[in-house]
Amino acid sequence: MWIVCKQVGLFTHYLTPSGTFQPGLERASKFVSQQMAEIMAKKHGGVARQLE
């Protein structure tokens, strides 16, 4: 699974299904493919990262 995140000061915010960045990994949108995550990261100004 892939997520889109953005560093905001000391905190990491994650892209939610509503298209906003909020803290809390449990609210993050999860993408099956790396390509989709990278497209969303580029569109919203974040970084695609793989969940382990």
Side-chain angles (χ1 to χ4, degrees):
M1 289 296 210
W2 292 81
I3 58 168
V4 176
C5 59
K6 180 189 278 188
Q7 198 68 27
V8 180
L10 297 175
F11 304 102
T12 302
H13 288 193
Y14 303 95
L15 184 65
T16 63
S18 64
T20 61
F21 283 94
Q22 294 183 354
L25 185 57
E26 64 278 351
R27 292 186 235 160
S29 294
K30 294 171 180 71
F31 302 97
V32 177
S33 71
Q34 179 182 3
Q35 292 82 10
M36 185 57 154
E38 288 176 352
I39 289 168
M40 294 303 282
K42 187 175 182 180
K43 180 178 178 182
H44 292 284
V47 177
R49 189 166 71 186
Q50 187 173 21
L51 288 177
E52 298 178 6

